[in-house]
């Protein structure tokens, strides 16, 4: 009896968290920050000193414009040239206005402080007696500039996450796992393995016995899927969010995901691949491998029919709600948990390889042996589920 997979109650809503592939070297982008209250409080003394510097500069401008005799107080013309080199009234007033702007960005304040630093260097030449105050203010400006360089930009990680929903393309494998064919990757939907099998048979080669049981056990035991395993199945343009750990070799790191849905997908694919190869492995004893391959290729049997009719997969319909298509003659017992929940089981004729006849043929539902099994299943079942049998006439 197969496990009831509750994921199939909402087959269109199976999602995993993935990451858009980041082709940038840096996983962050920078946003310019505004001044913080902490910065303003920390630099209270600096701003108080700058107000005193404002007084010195404004007094200097006053003397230059209102007191024509002010030039008399300078020892030489060299100091007079300092005034013209360092101070421009219009530029100063613009910078002062910026300094007092409460909405100032860090980059703007950086420009203002660098301007005041140059002005103070000029004031040092004009007012040497104030050197202690002025040099202290310059040091405070330097410290503030260093802090601004650290806080000027905020690093924000790129939001490259995406919830990726897998298609409503589900099977239950013969070995009892939930399998999704994925989003078109031919390895994930078993096209490549199927082509490989047919090519081997056409060339009279043996089909390998693929055994993925250890791989499945390892994933279940360790609790995570490696990125390369997910890539092999899905081959999407996205990456798995990963926990980085050091492998046994110190040189390499493994990308891995502990998401339950990702484990379900990869384990289901491994189980499906194994079941596909095992179903054809029994043909290795055939003397007519080429003819067996032609049966599937010439009849143009679609892969999903091969999986259901020959390999023993049970397909969940994406068109009719709560319907499973199967070729199993024991479907009533195998899928009882689904029937008990009101599902419909649609039984269709299978395809079997007869080792004695060394040929492939369709199962005849109206043969005595097969119809006896089907009659017994129908007569014994009494539940709310529905059983449909294609190309079958009841003998009762």
């Amino acid at each position: 009896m197969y496990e009831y997979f509750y994921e199939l109650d909402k087959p269109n809503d199976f999602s995993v968290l993935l990451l858009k592939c980041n082709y940038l070297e840096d996983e962050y982008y920078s946003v310019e920050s505004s001044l913080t209250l902490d910065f303003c409080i920390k630099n209270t003394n600096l701003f108080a000193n700058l107000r005193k510097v404002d007084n010195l500069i404004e007094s200097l401008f006053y003397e230059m414009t209102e007191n024509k005799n002010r030039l008399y107080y300078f020892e030489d013309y060299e100091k007079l040239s300092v005034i013209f080199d360092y101070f421009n009234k219009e530029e100063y007033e613009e910078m002062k206005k910026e300094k007092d702007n409460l909405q100032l960005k860090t980059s703007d304040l950086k420009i203002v402080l660098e301007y005041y630093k140059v002005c103070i260097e000029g004031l040092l030449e004009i007012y040497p007696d104030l050197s202690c105050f002025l040099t202290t203010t310059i040091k405070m400006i330097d410290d503030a500039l260093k802090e601004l360089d650290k806080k000027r930009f905020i690093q924000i990680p790129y939001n490259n996450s995406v919830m990726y929903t897998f298609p409503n393309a589900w099977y239950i494998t013969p070995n009892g796992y939930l399998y999704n064919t994925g989003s078109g990757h031919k390895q994930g939907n078993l096209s490549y393995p199927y082509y490989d099998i047919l090519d081997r048979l056409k060339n009279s080669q043996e089909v390998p016995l693929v055994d993925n049981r250890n791989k499945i056990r390892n994933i279940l035991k360790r609790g995570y899927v490696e990125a390369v395993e997910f890539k092999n199945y899905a081959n999407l343009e996205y990456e798995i969010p990963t926990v980085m750990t050091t492998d046994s070799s110190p040189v390499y790191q493994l990308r891995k995901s502990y998401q339950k849905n990702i484990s379900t997908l990869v384990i289901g694919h491994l189980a499906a691949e194994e079941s596909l190869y095992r179903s054809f492995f029994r043909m290795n004893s055939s003397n007519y491998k080429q003819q067996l391959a032609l049966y599937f290729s010439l009849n143009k049997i679609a892969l999903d029919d091969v999986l259901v009719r020959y390999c023993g997969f049970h397909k969940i319909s994406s068109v009719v709600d709560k319907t499973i298509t199967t070729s199993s003659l024991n479907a009533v017992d195998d899928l009882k948990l689904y029937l008990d929940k009101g599902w419909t089981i649609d039984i269709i004729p299978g395809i079997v390889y007869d080792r004695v006849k060394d040929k492939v043929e369709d199962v005849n539902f109206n043969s005595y042996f097969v119809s006896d099994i089907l009659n017994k299943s129908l007569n014994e079942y009494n539940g709310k589920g529905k059983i449909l049998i294609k190309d079958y006439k009841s003998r009762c």
Side-chain angles (χ1 to χ4, degrees):
M1 185 183 301
Y2 290 108
E3 173 188 351
Y4 188 88
F5 294 103
Y6 287 94
E7 293 90 340
L8 298 178
D9 288 338
K10 296 181 179 179
N12 292 300
D13 299 336
F14 192 88
S15 300
V16 298
L17 180 64
L18 300 176
L19 299 176
K20 298 175 186 176
C21 293
N22 185 11
Y23 298 104
L24 301 176
E25 292 184 2
D26 197 347
E27 295 182 355
Y28 298 87
Y29 64 95
S30 298
V31 175
E32 187 176 356
S33 60
S34 298
L35 291 180
T36 63
L37 180 60
D38 288 344
F39 177 86
C40 295
I41 293 174
K42 183 177 180 179
N43 290 280
T44 299
N45 291 336
L46 169 60
F47 289 114
N49 279 16
L50 292 181
R51 285 193 291 273
K52 294 177 181 179
V53 170
D54 285 334
N55 291 336
L56 288 173
I57 295 174
E58 288 167 5
S59 297
L60 185 61
F61 283 138
Y62 175 80
E63 294 294 335
M64 291 289 297
T65 56
E66 299 298 328
N67 187 353
K68 305 299 182 182
N69 295 324
R70 175 62 182 130
L71 297 180
Y72 163 76
Y73 291 98
F74 292 101
E75 296 179 2
D76 51 39
Y77 288 105
E78 223 175 86
K79 294 205 175 173
L80 179 61
S81 67
V82 169
I83 299 174
F84 295 107
D85 287 342
Y86 283 91
F87 302 102
N88 177 284
K89 194 171 190 337
E90 290 181 0
E91 185 179 14
Y92 163 73
E93 289 177 350
E94 182 180 343
M95 289 296 172
K96 181 186 177 186
K97 183 179 179 180
E98 281 291 304
K99 172 175 65 70
D100 297 333
N101 179 8
L102 296 178
Q103 303 300 321
L104 200 62
K105 294 286 187 182
T106 53
S107 59
D108 297 326
L109 181 59
K110 182 179 175 70
I111 293 172
V112 170
L113 292 179
E114 288 173 344
Y115 172 80
Y116 268 88
K117 182 178 177 181
V118 172
C119 289
I120 294 173
E121 289 171 352
L123 292 174
L124 275 169
E125 296 191 41
I126 299 172
Y127 302 111
D129 292 344
L130 299 176
S131 62
C132 182
F133 164 74
L134 294 173
T135 53
T136 298
T137 304
I138 287 176
K139 184 180 183 310
M140 294 168 72
I141 289 175
D142 287 338
D143 292 341
L145 288 172
K146 289 179 183 178
E147 187 173 358
L148 284 177
D149 284 337
K150 294 179 182 178
K151 296 185 175 183
R152 185 178 173 187
F153 292 104
I154 300 173
Q155 283 191 327
I156 299 178
Y158 286 102
N159 183 17
N160 60 345
S161 62
V162 60
M163 289 301 297
Y164 187 89
T165 302
F166 277 78
N168 182 358
W170 297 100
Y171 292 84
I172 298 173
T173 67
N175 43 9
Y177 292 94
L178 187 61
Y179 165 58
N180 187 292
T181 60
S183 300
H185 179 42
K186 290 187 177 181
Q187 180 66 33
N189 65 22
L190 301 181
S191 292
Y192 284 152
Y194 182 53
Y195 299 154
D196 173 59
I197 290 169
L198 292 185
D199 284 343
R200 289 173 183 272
L201 293 175
K202 289 175 183 177
N203 293 303
S204 297
Q205 297 174 350
E206 291 194 350
V207 176
L209 179 62
V210 173
D211 187 348
N212 289 332
R213 288 174 294 181
N214 281 337
K215 293 180 181 179
I216 293 172
R217 279 194 290 265
N218 286 338
I219 292 174
L220 291 172
K221 182 178 179 180
R222 71 195 186 202
Y224 63 80
V225 168
E226 294 178 6
V228 65
E229 294 170 327
F230 182 70
K231 185 74 172 178
N232 178 61
Y233 157 68
N235 195 34
L236 295 173
E237 59 181 348
Y238 304 102
E239 298 175 348
I240 60 173
T242 184
V243 177
M244 301 299 292
T245 61
T246 303
D247 194 6
S248 55
S249 167
V251 178
Y252 299 102
Q253 287 184 313
L254 296 177
R255 298 179 64 85
K256 57 185 69 173
S257 173
Y258 288 84
Q259 290 183 60
K260 178 180 179 295
N261 284 0
I262 287 181
S263 292
T264 297
L265 292 169
V266 173
I267 288 174
H269 171 250
L270 291 171
E273 180 186 53
E274 177 181 321
S275 294
L276 175 64
Y277 273 97
R278 281 181 178 274
S279 66
F280 283 92
F281 177 77
R282 64 177 71 108
M283 294 182 179
N284 283 343
S285 60
S286 173
N287 295 315
Y288 306 102
K289 292 184 177 67
Q290 292 178 337
Q291 289 86 336
L292 295 177
L294 288 175
Y295 174 88
F296 291 97
S297 57
L298 290 180
N299 291 330
K300 297 182 179 179
I301 303 175
L303 179 55
D304 59 343
D305 281 335
V306 173
L307 294 179
V308 173
R309 297 186 60 204
Y310 178 69
C311 302
F313 285 62
H314 315 283
K315 182 179 181 180
I316 286 72
S317 174
S318 60
V319 179
V320 184
D321 288 344
K322 292 191 173 182
T323 298
I324 299 177
T325 301
T326 180
S327 63
S328 171
L329 299 180
N330 298 315
V332 176
D333 291 332
D334 292 343
L335 300 169
K336 184 177 184 302
L337 294 179
Y338 294 85
L339 285 169
D340 290 346
K341 289 182 178 292
W343 283 61
T344 295
I345 305 301
D346 187 5
I347 305 175
I348 63 175
I351 300 171
V352 296
Y353 168 64
D354 189 322
R355 277 199 179 99
V356 175
K357 297 179 181 179
D358 199 2
K359 64 182 292 189
V360 176
E361 55 188 12
D362 293 351
V363 173
N364 181 5
F365 274 1
N366 290 300
S367 69
Y368 182 84
F369 175 74
V370 174
S371 63
D372 210 37
I373 296 175
L374 294 175
N375 277 332
K376 183 179 180 182
S377 296
L378 289 173
N379 292 334
E380 291 181 354
Y381 177 70
N382 183 23
K384 60 181 181 179
K386 184 184 294 185
I387 302 171
L388 303 176
I389 302 179
K390 185 178 181 180
D391 295 338
Y392 170 67
K393 297 177 181 178
S394 174
R395 296 175 63 245
C396 297

